[in-house]
Amino acid sequence: MIQRYFIQLSYDGTPFHGWQIQPNAKSIQETLNLALSTITRQKIYVVGCGRTDTGVHATKFFAHFESEEIEIEPVCFRVNRMLPKSIAVQRIFKVAEDTHARFSAISRTYEYKISREKNPFLVERAYELREDLNVDLMNEAGAMLPNFKDFSSFAKASDTKTNLCDLFYARWETNGELLRFEVKANRFLRNMVRAMVGTFVEIGRERISLSQFEEIIEAKDRSSAGYSAPAHGLYLIDIGYPD
């Protein structure tokens, strides 16, 4: 009997060219397919909850796959033994056959880390930016975002049918020399968070005012917003599903 399973994992995106399988490049999806197929002795194809780009990390990522009935605990243990240290599987569990890792998700949460000092332990883990930024102003700008739906100004050109998103919150917080951005929405556009972070940095530098920020959003034009922050500071940290 064919059963659908969810798999929860985390990964360091540094050694990979993103989640999705692509020619002549190492991806998380392909690495996971190989491990699961080898351990279960079945042809396994995992479908992810999203498509993180090259160098982007995930502390909580879900995917689904279908297979003949498996012994979950032994498979989970053996898959972890086979996977590289940069990928860890937390659990595998059964779901209803119509539950989809991507399309059943109702929210995604990302965080972005900026280090304001040279820190050898945050190399490829945070964006090193040794500047004083006006975080209060950045938070005022973040509080404006849920008032909008169309985020075309922060979207890389793609074949997406719509650039409309329900954004729930966007906030910045400081912890010593670490500056952390967290944003939650029902969906995200390609490159959206990195483009937002780059624009927020310009606000923090006081080069973009709040009224100009509003104009940027309303322009619905990527060229009007700030630069894209580096991928290695970005983490997918949560995926929400209905109960």
Side-chain angles (χ1 to χ4, degrees), residues 199-236:
T199 307
F200 276 118
V201 168
E202 294 301 291
I203 293 170
R205 288 169 171 160
E206 300 185 4
R207 295 176 183 172
I208 295 176
S209 68
L210 294 179
S211 60
Q212 288 172 321
F213 182 57
E214 187 171 356
E215 289 171 4
I216 286 170
I217 301 170
E218 291 177 339
K220 300 173 185 175
D221 179 5
R222 177 67 187 92
S223 64
S224 66
Y227 67 98
S228 288
H232 60 258
L234 183 60
Y235 298 73
L236 176 62

PDB file of all heavy atoms in Angstrom, residues 199-236:
ATOM      1  N   THR A 199      16.720  46.812   1.279  1.00  0.00           N
ATOM      2  CA  THR A 199      15.999  48.094   1.353  1.00  0.00           C
ATOM      3  C   THR A 199      15.957  48.598   2.791  1.00  0.00           C
ATOM      4  O   THR A 199      16.145  49.803   3.041  1.00  0.00           O
ATOM      5  CB  THR A 199      14.574  47.927   0.797  1.00  0.00           C
ATOM      6  OG1 THR A 199      14.638  47.346  -0.507  1.00  0.00           O
ATOM      7  CG2 THR A 199      13.865  49.268   0.710  1.00  0.00           C
ATOM      8  N   PHE A 200      15.737  47.691   3.743  1.00  0.00           N
ATOM      9  CA  PHE A 200      15.741  48.086   5.155  1.00  0.00           C
ATOM     10  C   PHE A 200      17.109  48.636   5.577  1.00  0.00           C
ATOM     11  O   PHE A 200      17.187  49.576   6.384  1.00  0.00           O
ATOM     12  CB  PHE A 200      15.382  46.893   6.044  1.00  0.00           C
ATOM     13  CG  PHE A 200      13.904  46.653   6.194  1.00  0.00           C
ATOM     14  CD1 PHE A 200      13.331  45.463   5.759  1.00  0.00           C
ATOM     15  CD2 PHE A 200      13.087  47.614   6.768  1.00  0.00           C
ATOM     16  CE1 PHE A 200      11.973  45.238   5.899  1.00  0.00           C
ATOM     17  CE2 PHE A 200      11.725  47.394   6.912  1.00  0.00           C
ATOM     18  CZ  PHE A 200      11.161  46.206   6.469  1.00  0.00           C
ATOM     19  N   VAL A 201      18.174  48.065   5.071  1.00  0.00           N
ATOM     20  CA  VAL A 201      19.511  48.566   5.394  1.00  0.00           C
ATOM     21  C   VAL A 201      19.654  50.015   4.934  1.00  0.00           C
ATOM     22  O   VAL A 201      20.201  50.864   5.652  1.00  0.00           O
ATOM     23  CB  VAL A 201      20.601  47.674   4.767  1.00  0.00           C
ATOM     24  CG1 VAL A 201      21.976  48.351   4.847  1.00  0.00           C
ATOM     25  CG2 VAL A 201      20.654  46.318   5.473  1.00  0.00           C
ATOM     26  N   GLU A 202      19.143  50.314   3.740  1.00  0.00           N
ATOM     27  CA  GLU A 202      19.197  51.691   3.253  1.00  0.00           C
ATOM     28  C   GLU A 202      18.349  52.620   4.119  1.00  0.00           C
ATOM     29  O   GLU A 202      18.705  53.788   4.326  1.00  0.00           O
ATOM     30  CB  GLU A 202      18.730  51.745   1.792  1.00  0.00           C
ATOM     31  CG  GLU A 202      19.643  51.016   0.812  1.00  0.00           C
ATOM     32  CD  GLU A 202      21.051  51.580   0.849  1.00  0.00           C
ATOM     33  OE1 GLU A 202      21.250  52.718   0.410  1.00  0.00           O
ATOM     34  OE2 GLU A 202      21.960  50.867   1.331  1.00  0.00           O
ATOM     35  N   ILE A 203      17.249  52.109   4.654  1.00  0.00           N
ATOM     36  CA  ILE A 203      16.438  52.890   5.602  1.00  0.00           C
ATOM     37  C   ILE A 203      17.235  53.114   6.885  1.00  0.00           C
ATOM     38  O   ILE A 203      17.257  54.214   7.439  1.00  0.00           O
ATOM     39  CB  ILE A 203      15.104  52.174   5.896  1.00  0.00           C
ATOM     40  CG1 ILE A 203      14.224  52.151   4.639  1.00  0.00           C
ATOM     41  CG2 ILE A 203      14.363  52.838   7.057  1.00  0.00           C
ATOM     42  CD1 ILE A 203      12.999  51.258   4.743  1.00  0.00           C
ATOM     43  N   GLY A 204      17.901  52.060   7.364  1.00  0.00           N
ATOM     44  CA  GLY A 204      18.722  52.169   8.567  1.00  0.00           C
ATOM     45  C   GLY A 204      19.890  53.114   8.408  1.00  0.00           C
ATOM     46  O   GLY A 204      20.330  53.754   9.381  1.00  0.00           O
ATOM     47  N   ARG A 205      20.378  53.236   7.205  1.00  0.00           N
ATOM     48  CA  ARG A 205      21.446  54.206   6.904  1.00  0.00           C
ATOM     49  C   ARG A 205      20.891  55.616   6.743  1.00  0.00           C
ATOM     50  O   ARG A 205      21.633  56.560   6.523  1.00  0.00           O
ATOM     51  CB  ARG A 205      22.155  53.793   5.613  1.00  0.00           C
ATOM     52  CG  ARG A 205      23.042  52.553   5.734  1.00  0.00           C
ATOM     53  CD  ARG A 205      23.477  52.064   4.360  1.00  0.00           C
ATOM     54  NE  ARG A 205      24.499  51.017   4.441  1.00  0.00           N
ATOM     55  CZ  ARG A 205      24.795  50.163   3.471  1.00  0.00           C
ATOM     56  NH1 ARG A 205      24.112  50.201   2.320  1.00  0.00           N
ATOM     57  NH2 ARG A 205      25.743  49.262   3.623  1.00  0.00           N
ATOM     58  N   GLU A 206      19.566  55.717   6.776  1.00  0.00           N
ATOM     59  CA  GLU A 206      18.820  56.968   6.617  1.00  0.00           C
ATOM     60  C   GLU A 206      19.001  57.569   5.224  1.00  0.00           C
ATOM     61  O   GLU A 206      18.994  58.779   5.046  1.00  0.00           O
ATOM     62  CB  GLU A 206      19.169  57.956   7.732  1.00  0.00           C
ATOM     63  CG  GLU A 206      18.831  57.388   9.116  1.00  0.00           C
ATOM     64  CD  GLU A 206      19.049  58.376  10.256  1.00  0.00           C
ATOM     65  OE1 GLU A 206      19.394  59.549   9.971  1.00  0.00           O
ATOM     66  OE2 GLU A 206      18.867  57.967  11.416  1.00  0.00           O
ATOM     67  N   ARG A 207      19.103  56.671   4.251  1.00  0.00           N
ATOM     68  CA  ARG A 207      19.167  57.096   2.855  1.00  0.00           C
ATOM     69  C   ARG A 207      17.794  57.007   2.189  1.00  0.00           C
ATOM     70  O   ARG A 207      17.592  57.543   1.106  1.00  0.00           O
ATOM     71  CB  ARG A 207      20.162  56.224   2.087  1.00  0.00           C
ATOM     72  CG  ARG A 207      21.606  56.380   2.555  1.00  0.00           C
ATOM     73  CD  ARG A 207      22.523  55.411   1.827  1.00  0.00           C
ATOM     74  NE  ARG A 207      23.891  55.493   2.320  1.00  0.00           N
ATOM     75  CZ  ARG A 207      24.874  54.654   1.963  1.00  0.00           C
ATOM     76  NH1 ARG A 207      24.599  53.674   1.109  1.00  0.00           N
ATOM     77  NH2 ARG A 207      26.088  54.784   2.459  1.00  0.00           N
ATOM     78  N   ILE A 208      16.882  56.245   2.818  1.00  0.00           N
ATOM     79  CA  ILE A 208      15.506  56.134   2.342  1.00  0.00           C
ATOM     80  C   ILE A 208      14.588  56.499   3.496  1.00  0.00           C
ATOM     81  O   ILE A 208      14.700  55.929   4.595  1.00  0.00           O
ATOM     82  CB  ILE A 208      15.192  54.700   1.859  1.00  0.00           C
ATOM     83  CG1 ILE A 208      16.029  54.333   0.628  1.00  0.00           C
ATOM     84  CG2 ILE A 208      13.708  54.540   1.540  1.00  0.00           C
ATOM     85  CD1 ILE A 208      15.836  52.897   0.157  1.00  0.00           C
ATOM     86  N   SER A 209      13.684  57.430   3.278  1.00  0.00           N
ATOM     87  CA  SER A 209      12.731  57.837   4.314  1.00  0.00           C
ATOM     88  C   SER A 209      11.528  56.904   4.301  1.00  0.00           C
ATOM     89  O   SER A 209      11.338  56.107   3.367  1.00  0.00           O
ATOM     90  CB  SER A 209      12.278  59.271   4.073  1.00  0.00           C
ATOM     91  OG  SER A 209      11.499  59.342   2.887  1.00  0.00           O
ATOM     92  N   LEU A 210      10.680  57.025   5.324  1.00  0.00           N
ATOM     93  CA  LEU A 210       9.478  56.189   5.385  1.00  0.00           C
ATOM     94  C   LEU A 210       8.516  56.511   4.240  1.00  0.00           C
ATOM     95  O   LEU A 210       7.889  55.603   3.680  1.00  0.00           O
ATOM     96  CB  LEU A 210       8.782  56.378   6.735  1.00  0.00           C
ATOM     97  CG  LEU A 210       9.555  55.879   7.969  1.00  0.00           C
ATOM     98  CD1 LEU A 210       8.752  56.144   9.235  1.00  0.00           C
ATOM     99  CD2 LEU A 210       9.883  54.393   7.850  1.00  0.00           C
ATOM    100  N   SER A 211       8.415  57.778   3.881  1.00  0.00           N
ATOM    101  CA  SER A 211       7.538  58.141   2.761  1.00  0.00           C
ATOM    102  C   SER A 211       8.093  57.598   1.445  1.00  0.00           C
ATOM    103  O   SER A 211       7.338  57.134   0.579  1.00  0.00           O
ATOM    104  CB  SER A 211       7.370  59.657   2.678  1.00  0.00           C
ATOM    105  OG  SER A 211       8.616  60.299   2.487  1.00  0.00           O
ATOM    106  N   GLN A 212       9.415  57.587   1.309  1.00  0.00           N
ATOM    107  CA  GLN A 212      10.034  57.014   0.109  1.00  0.00           C
ATOM    108  C   GLN A 212       9.848  55.496   0.082  1.00  0.00           C
ATOM    109  O   GLN A 212       9.664  54.906  -0.991  1.00  0.00           O
ATOM    110  CB  GLN A 212      11.520  57.370   0.063  1.00  0.00           C
ATOM    111  CG  GLN A 212      11.794  58.832  -0.257  1.00  0.00           C
ATOM    112  CD  GLN A 212      13.259  59.188  -0.110  1.00  0.00           C
ATOM    113  OE1 GLN A 212      13.947  58.718   0.808  1.00  0.00           O
ATOM    114  NE2 GLN A 212      13.760  60.017  -1.018  1.00  0.00           N
ATOM    115  N   PHE A 213       9.889  54.879   1.255  1.00  0.00           N
ATOM    116  CA  PHE A 213       9.676  53.428   1.349  1.00  0.00           C
ATOM    117  C   PHE A 213       8.275  53.075   0.858  1.00  0.00           C
ATOM    118  O   PHE A 213       8.089  52.104   0.110  1.00  0.00           O
ATOM    119  CB  PHE A 213       9.874  52.982   2.798  1.00  0.00           C
ATOM    120  CG  PHE A 213       9.726  51.497   3.018  1.00  0.00           C
ATOM    121  CD1 PHE A 213      10.508  50.591   2.318  1.00  0.00           C
ATOM    122  CD2 PHE A 213       8.817  51.003   3.941  1.00  0.00           C
ATOM    123  CE1 PHE A 213      10.376  49.214   2.517  1.00  0.00           C
ATOM    124  CE2 PHE A 213       8.683  49.637   4.150  1.00  0.00           C
ATOM    125  CZ  PHE A 213       9.465  48.742   3.441  1.00  0.00           C
ATOM    126  N   GLU A 214       7.295  53.872   1.253  1.00  0.00           N
ATOM    127  CA  GLU A 214       5.926  53.645   0.792  1.00  0.00           C
ATOM    128  C   GLU A 214       5.828  53.803  -0.722  1.00  0.00           C
ATOM    129  O   GLU A 214       5.163  53.021  -1.393  1.00  0.00           O
ATOM    130  CB  GLU A 214       4.975  54.626   1.493  1.00  0.00           C
ATOM    131  CG  GLU A 214       3.518  54.350   1.212  1.00  0.00           C
ATOM    132  CD  GLU A 214       2.580  55.178   2.083  1.00  0.00           C
ATOM    133  OE1 GLU A 214       3.071  55.918   2.951  1.00  0.00           O
ATOM    134  OE2 GLU A 214       1.356  55.049   1.895  1.00  0.00           O
ATOM    135  N   GLU A 215       6.544  54.783  -1.255  1.00  0.00           N
ATOM    136  CA  GLU A 215       6.543  54.996  -2.707  1.00  0.00           C
ATOM    137  C   GLU A 215       7.181  53.815  -3.439  1.00  0.00           C
ATOM    138  O   GLU A 215       6.732  53.426  -4.518  1.00  0.00           O
ATOM    139  CB  GLU A 215       7.300  56.290  -3.041  1.00  0.00           C
ATOM    140  CG  GLU A 215       6.567  57.553  -2.624  1.00  0.00           C
ATOM    141  CD  GLU A 215       7.431  58.797  -2.759  1.00  0.00           C
ATOM    142  OE1 GLU A 215       8.580  58.665  -3.258  1.00  0.00           O
ATOM    143  OE2 GLU A 215       6.975  59.885  -2.375  1.00  0.00           O
ATOM    144  N   ILE A 216       8.222  53.240  -2.821  1.00  0.00           N
ATOM    145  CA  ILE A 216       8.902  52.081  -3.402  1.00  0.00           C
ATOM    146  C   ILE A 216       7.928  50.911  -3.528  1.00  0.00           C
ATOM    147  O   ILE A 216       7.846  50.256  -4.572  1.00  0.00           O
ATOM    148  CB  ILE A 216      10.121  51.678  -2.542  1.00  0.00           C
ATOM    149  CG1 ILE A 216      11.253  52.684  -2.744  1.00  0.00           C
ATOM    150  CG2 ILE A 216      10.596  50.263  -2.879  1.00  0.00           C
ATOM    151  CD1 ILE A 216      12.400  52.527  -1.766  1.00  0.00           C
ATOM    152  N   ILE A 217       7.172  50.659  -2.462  1.00  0.00           N
ATOM    153  CA  ILE A 217       6.209  49.546  -2.488  1.00  0.00           C
ATOM    154  C   ILE A 217       5.138  49.792  -3.541  1.00  0.00           C
ATOM    155  O   ILE A 217       4.790  48.894  -4.317  1.00  0.00           O
ATOM    156  CB  ILE A 217       5.565  49.349  -1.101  1.00  0.00           C
ATOM    157  CG1 ILE A 217       6.639  49.062  -0.041  1.00  0.00           C
ATOM    158  CG2 ILE A 217       4.543  48.211  -1.134  1.00  0.00           C
ATOM    159  CD1 ILE A 217       6.127  49.103   1.388  1.00  0.00           C
ATOM    160  N   GLU A 218       4.619  51.011  -3.565  1.00  0.00           N
ATOM    161  CA  GLU A 218       3.532  51.328  -4.490  1.00  0.00           C
ATOM    162  C   GLU A 218       3.990  51.364  -5.950  1.00  0.00           C
ATOM    163  O   GLU A 218       3.175  51.215  -6.860  1.00  0.00           O
ATOM    164  CB  GLU A 218       2.895  52.659  -4.091  1.00  0.00           C
ATOM    165  CG  GLU A 218       2.122  52.566  -2.766  1.00  0.00           C
ATOM    166  CD  GLU A 218       1.542  53.891  -2.320  1.00  0.00           C
ATOM    167  OE1 GLU A 218       2.032  54.943  -2.783  1.00  0.00           O
ATOM    168  OE2 GLU A 218       0.588  53.875  -1.507  1.00  0.00           O
ATOM    169  N   ALA A 219       5.300  51.524  -6.178  1.00  0.00           N
ATOM    170  CA  ALA A 219       5.827  51.551  -7.549  1.00  0.00           C
ATOM    171  C   ALA A 219       5.698  50.184  -8.225  1.00  0.00           C
ATOM    172  O   ALA A 219       5.632  50.088  -9.450  1.00  0.00           O
ATOM    173  CB  ALA A 219       7.287  51.983  -7.540  1.00  0.00           C
ATOM    174  N   LYS A 220       5.704  49.102  -7.412  1.00  0.00           N
ATOM    175  CA  LYS A 220       5.598  47.728  -7.943  1.00  0.00           C
ATOM    176  C   LYS A 220       6.660  47.468  -9.012  1.00  0.00           C
ATOM    177  O   LYS A 220       6.408  46.857 -10.049  1.00  0.00           O
ATOM    178  CB  LYS A 220       4.190  47.473  -8.511  1.00  0.00           C
ATOM    179  CG  LYS A 220       3.094  47.647  -7.465  1.00  0.00           C
ATOM    180  CD  LYS A 220       1.709  47.553  -8.054  1.00  0.00           C
ATOM    181  CE  LYS A 220       0.643  47.862  -6.996  1.00  0.00           C
ATOM    182  NZ  LYS A 220      -0.712  47.886  -7.560  1.00  0.00           N
ATOM    183  N   ASP A 221       7.861  47.956  -8.711  1.00  0.00           N
ATOM    184  CA  ASP A 221       8.969  47.874  -9.661  1.00  0.00           C
ATOM    185  C   ASP A 221      10.240  47.518  -8.888  1.00  0.00           C
ATOM    186  O   ASP A 221      10.665  48.278  -8.006  1.00  0.00           O
ATOM    187  CB  ASP A 221       9.123  49.227 -10.365  1.00  0.00           C
ATOM    188  CG  ASP A 221      10.277  49.248 -11.357  1.00  0.00           C
ATOM    189  OD1 ASP A 221      10.908  48.198 -11.575  1.00  0.00           O
ATOM    190  OD2 ASP A 221      10.544  50.337 -11.908  1.00  0.00           O
ATOM    191  N   ARG A 222      10.837  46.364  -9.199  1.00  0.00           N
ATOM    192  CA  ARG A 222      12.020  45.904  -8.467  1.00  0.00           C
ATOM    193  C   ARG A 222      13.166  46.917  -8.508  1.00  0.00           C
ATOM    194  O   ARG A 222      13.908  47.065  -7.526  1.00  0.00           O
ATOM    195  CB  ARG A 222      12.498  44.558  -9.051  1.00  0.00           C
ATOM    196  CG  ARG A 222      13.775  44.018  -8.406  1.00  0.00           C
ATOM    197  CD  ARG A 222      13.535  43.619  -6.960  1.00  0.00           C
ATOM    198  NE  ARG A 222      14.776  43.264  -6.288  1.00  0.00           N
ATOM    199  CZ  ARG A 222      15.549  44.105  -5.590  1.00  0.00           C
ATOM    200  NH1 ARG A 222      15.220  45.403  -5.504  1.00  0.00           N
ATOM    201  NH2 ARG A 222      16.634  43.690  -4.988  1.00  0.00           N
ATOM    202  N   SER A 223      13.308  47.664  -9.590  1.00  0.00           N
ATOM    203  CA  SER A 223      14.420  48.601  -9.725  1.00  0.00           C
ATOM    204  C   SER A 223      14.300  49.795  -8.772  1.00  0.00           C
ATOM    205  O   SER A 223      15.277  50.518  -8.544  1.00  0.00           O
ATOM    206  CB  SER A 223      14.538  49.103 -11.169  1.00  0.00           C
ATOM    207  OG  SER A 223      13.385  49.839 -11.541  1.00  0.00           O
ATOM    208  N   SER A 224      13.123  49.986  -8.197  1.00  0.00           N
ATOM    209  CA  SER A 224      12.937  51.117  -7.287  1.00  0.00           C
ATOM    210  C   SER A 224      13.378  50.803  -5.862  1.00  0.00           C
ATOM    211  O   SER A 224      13.607  51.710  -5.068  1.00  0.00           O
ATOM    212  CB  SER A 224      11.465  51.554  -7.283  1.00  0.00           C
ATOM    213  OG  SER A 224      10.650  50.536  -6.722  1.00  0.00           O
ATOM    214  N   ALA A 225      13.510  49.508  -5.530  1.00  0.00           N
ATOM    215  CA  ALA A 225      13.870  49.095  -4.170  1.00  0.00           C
ATOM    216  C   ALA A 225      15.387  48.975  -4.025  1.00  0.00           C
ATOM    217  O   ALA A 225      16.146  49.210  -4.966  1.00  0.00           O
ATOM    218  CB  ALA A 225      13.185  47.779  -3.826  1.00  0.00           C
ATOM    219  N   GLY A 226      15.825  48.597  -2.824  1.00  0.00           N
ATOM    220  CA  GLY A 226      17.247  48.476  -2.538  1.00  0.00           C
ATOM    221  C   GLY A 226      17.854  47.200  -3.090  1.00  0.00           C
ATOM    222  O   GLY A 226      17.201  46.409  -3.761  1.00  0.00           O
ATOM    223  N   TYR A 227      19.135  47.009  -2.760  1.00  0.00           N
ATOM    224  CA  TYR A 227      19.873  45.842  -3.248  1.00  0.00           C
ATOM    225  C   TYR A 227      19.417  44.567  -2.534  1.00  0.00           C
ATOM    226  O   TYR A 227      18.755  44.622  -1.501  1.00  0.00           O
ATOM    227  CB  TYR A 227      21.373  46.049  -3.028  1.00  0.00           C
ATOM    228  CG  TYR A 227      21.811  46.085  -1.571  1.00  0.00           C
ATOM    229  CD1 TYR A 227      22.343  44.949  -0.956  1.00  0.00           C
ATOM    230  CD2 TYR A 227      21.693  47.254  -0.802  1.00  0.00           C
ATOM    231  CE1 TYR A 227      22.747  44.972   0.382  1.00  0.00           C
ATOM    232  CE2 TYR A 227      22.087  47.280   0.524  1.00  0.00           C
ATOM    233  CZ  TYR A 227      22.619  46.139   1.111  1.00  0.00           C
ATOM    234  OH  TYR A 227      22.993  46.171   2.435  1.00  0.00           O
ATOM    235  N   SER A 228      19.786  43.416  -3.078  1.00  0.00           N
ATOM    236  CA  SER A 228      19.494  42.131  -2.442  1.00  0.00           C
ATOM    237  C   SER A 228      20.631  41.788  -1.476  1.00  0.00           C
ATOM    238  O   SER A 228      21.789  41.701  -1.889  1.00  0.00           O
ATOM    239  CB  SER A 228      19.363  41.017  -3.487  1.00  0.00           C
ATOM    240  OG  SER A 228      18.171  41.157  -4.202  1.00  0.00           O
ATOM    241  N   ALA A 229      20.284  41.569  -0.227  1.00  0.00           N
ATOM    242  CA  ALA A 229      21.285  41.185   0.768  1.00  0.00           C
ATOM    243  C   ALA A 229      21.815  39.785   0.436  1.00  0.00           C
ATOM    244  O   ALA A 229      21.119  38.985  -0.191  1.00  0.00           O
ATOM    245  CB  ALA A 229      20.664  41.214   2.162  1.00  0.00           C
ATOM    246  N   PRO A 230      23.021  39.460   0.864  1.00  0.00           N
ATOM    247  CA  PRO A 230      23.611  38.150   0.544  1.00  0.00           C
ATOM    248  C   PRO A 230      22.772  36.982   1.049  1.00  0.00           C
ATOM    249  O   PRO A 230      22.136  37.057   2.109  1.00  0.00           O
ATOM    250  CB  PRO A 230      24.971  38.193   1.247  1.00  0.00           C
ATOM    251  CG  PRO A 230      25.277  39.647   1.406  1.00  0.00           C
ATOM    252  CD  PRO A 230      23.960  40.331   1.593  1.00  0.00           C
ATOM    253  N   ALA A 231      22.799  35.884   0.299  1.00  0.00           N
ATOM    254  CA  ALA A 231      21.966  34.718   0.618  1.00  0.00           C
ATOM    255  C   ALA A 231      22.342  34.070   1.942  1.00  0.00           C
ATOM    256  O   ALA A 231      21.477  33.525   2.642  1.00  0.00           O
ATOM    257  CB  ALA A 231      22.080  33.690  -0.507  1.00  0.00           C
ATOM    258  N   HIS A 232      23.610  34.109   2.329  1.00  0.00           N
ATOM    259  CA  HIS A 232      24.049  33.325   3.490  1.00  0.00           C
ATOM    260  C   HIS A 232      23.524  33.837   4.833  1.00  0.00           C
ATOM    261  O   HIS A 232      23.684  33.173   5.847  1.00  0.00           O
ATOM    262  CB  HIS A 232      25.585  33.221   3.528  1.00  0.00           C
ATOM    263  CG  HIS A 232      26.295  34.538   3.615  1.00  0.00           C
ATOM    264  ND1 HIS A 232      26.896  35.126   2.520  1.00  0.00           N
ATOM    265  CD2 HIS A 232      26.503  35.381   4.649  1.00  0.00           C
ATOM    266  CE1 HIS A 232      27.450  36.274   2.892  1.00  0.00           C
ATOM    267  NE2 HIS A 232      27.215  36.449   4.175  1.00  0.00           N
ATOM    268  N   GLY A 233      22.877  34.994   4.841  1.00  0.00           N
ATOM    269  CA  GLY A 233      22.284  35.478   6.091  1.00  0.00           C
ATOM    270  C   GLY A 233      20.839  35.060   6.276  1.00  0.00           C
ATOM    271  O   GLY A 233      20.223  35.335   7.312  1.00  0.00           O
ATOM    272  N   LEU A 234      20.277  34.353   5.292  1.00  0.00           N
ATOM    273  CA  LEU A 234      18.848  34.039   5.267  1.00  0.00           C
ATOM    274  C   LEU A 234      18.562  32.610   5.726  1.00  0.00           C
ATOM    275  O   LEU A 234      19.241  31.666   5.308  1.00  0.00           O
ATOM    276  CB  LEU A 234      18.300  34.235   3.849  1.00  0.00           C
ATOM    277  CG  LEU A 234      16.804  34.021   3.638  1.00  0.00           C
ATOM    278  CD1 LEU A 234      15.968  34.972   4.477  1.00  0.00           C
ATOM    279  CD2 LEU A 234      16.449  34.189   2.152  1.00  0.00           C
ATOM    280  N   TYR A 235      17.527  32.460   6.564  1.00  0.00           N
ATOM    281  CA  TYR A 235      17.124  31.156   7.099  1.00  0.00           C
ATOM    282  C   TYR A 235      15.606  31.011   6.994  1.00  0.00           C
ATOM    283  O   TYR A 235      14.864  31.929   7.376  1.00  0.00           O
ATOM    284  CB  TYR A 235      17.474  31.039   8.588  1.00  0.00           C
ATOM    285  CG  TYR A 235      18.934  31.125   8.926  1.00  0.00           C
ATOM    286  CD1 TYR A 235      19.616  32.342   8.860  1.00  0.00           C
ATOM    287  CD2 TYR A 235      19.648  30.003   9.347  1.00  0.00           C
ATOM    288  CE1 TYR A 235      20.963  32.429   9.190  1.00  0.00           C
ATOM    289  CE2 TYR A 235      20.995  30.077   9.686  1.00  0.00           C
ATOM    290  CZ  TYR A 235      21.643  31.296   9.601  1.00  0.00           C
ATOM    291  OH  TYR A 235      22.974  31.375   9.936  1.00  0.00           O
ATOM    292  N   LEU A 236      15.158  29.864   6.518  1.00  0.00           N
ATOM    293  CA  LEU A 236      13.749  29.489   6.653  1.00  0.00           C
ATOM    294  C   LEU A 236      13.607  28.831   8.017  1.00  0.00           C
ATOM    295  O   LEU A 236      14.280  27.837   8.299  1.00  0.00           O
ATOM    296  CB  LEU A 236      13.347  28.512   5.549  1.00  0.00           C
ATOM    297  CG  LEU A 236      11.929  27.958   5.607  1.00  0.00           C
ATOM    298  CD1 LEU A 236      10.891  29.055   5.488  1.00  0.00           C
ATOM    299  CD2 LEU A 236      11.710  26.910   4.511  1.00  0.00           C
TER     300      LEU A 236
END
